[in-house]
Amino acid sequence: MFTARRATNGAPPSEATQPTYLMCDKRHLSFSSESPEDTLEIARALGTGLRPGDVVALYGDLGAGKTLFCKGVGEALGIPPDRIVSPTFTIVTEHAGTVPLTHIDVYRLAGAREADEIGMRELLSGDGICLVEWAEKIEELLPTNCVQVRFSFSGDDCREIAIAAADLPGFDDFRARSIRFQRGG
């Protein structure tokens, strides 16, 4: 189960978590990914359940699988995976798919204030699906009903993926499609 906790002074950045208010009234699932293909399959399963207006906030250390996960969501929307690359330098990349996809990487931004100055609120309230890498940098701008995906390392190619989401219309289908990757599933 995904549990929220506030980072304490001296806690490593990888243990810092989002404010607990973002976690309220959400359903939680935990997954074990033993390969990049597993991560893609979990992402595809989530992507098929997303609807226009959904925001997915991705948390995790460098190399944890955030961009790979975005590729899987994109595939579910009909976007070739080779078209989805980390928009670290451009910050925002928009893709046409069955539903428009906005891929945001805020790694290079100083924080929420800078993000707000470049129009992040408008991007987050768009008509398509929005994926935000390094979401911890702009938490105060994220909608409270965003889907949260947290990655942690559990071996060379292994990852633990924790997903917290409001009761999205497709959440039960997502859970069913991803059962083999769920802890205890």
Side-chain angles (χ1 to χ4, degrees):
M1 167 134 337
F2 187 61
T3 55
R5 56 191 170 158
R6 293 187 184 272
T8 58
N9 289 341
S14 63
E15 291 181 17
T17 61
Q18 61 276 12
T20 54
Y21 69 86
L22 285 175
M23 298 302 299
C24 297
D25 299 322
K26 293 196 177 191
R27 296 171 72 182
H28 307 277
L29 292 174
S30 294
F31 302 91
S32 293
S33 170
E34 296 180 3
S35 68
E37 184 53 44
D38 287 355
T39 299
L40 285 169
E41 193 169 331
I42 294 165
R44 287 183 205 113
L46 178 65
T48 59
L50 295 173
R51 302 291 178 258
D54 286 342
V55 174
V56 180
L58 298 119
Y59 301 82
D61 290 335
L62 192 63
K66 296 180 296 293
T67 301
L68 182 65
F69 196 87
C70 292
K71 288 176 182 279
V73 171
E75 278 188 277
L77 302 175
I79 302 165
D82 62 327
R83 300 232 4 251
I84 297 180
V85 295
S86 181
T88 300
F89 293 100
T90 57
I91 302 173
V92 178
T93 306
E94 295 177 324
H95 302 277
T98 54
V99 174
L101 176 67
T102 302
H103 183 194
I104 303 170
D105 185 326
V106 296
Y107 180 77
R108 293 194 158 285
L109 298 182
R113 182 175 179 203
E114 184 178 3
D116 204 19
E117 289 171 358
I118 65 167
M120 191 64 61
R121 289 179 200 268
E122 291 79 18
L123 291 169
L124 295 172
S125 61
D127 293 332
I129 293 168
C130 185
L131 306 175
V132 182
E133 294 191 47
W134 300 98
E136 59 272 16
K137 296 187 86 172
I138 63 162
E139 288 177 321
E140 54 265 40
L141 300 179
L142 296 172
T144 57
N145 65 341
C146 69
V147 177
Q148 295 169 296
V149 182
R150 180 171 296 279
F151 299 85
S152 57
F153 293 98
S154 60
D156 289 337
D157 281 337
C158 299
R159 304 289 187 272
E160 296 300 317
I161 303 172
I163 299 180
D167 197 10
L168 300 172
F171 195 80
D172 287 330
D173 290 337
F174 163 60
R175 183 176 40 205
R177 283 190 303 276
S178 59
I179 191 88
R180 75 182 189 100
F181 301 105
Q182 293 172 39
R183 281 197 224 140

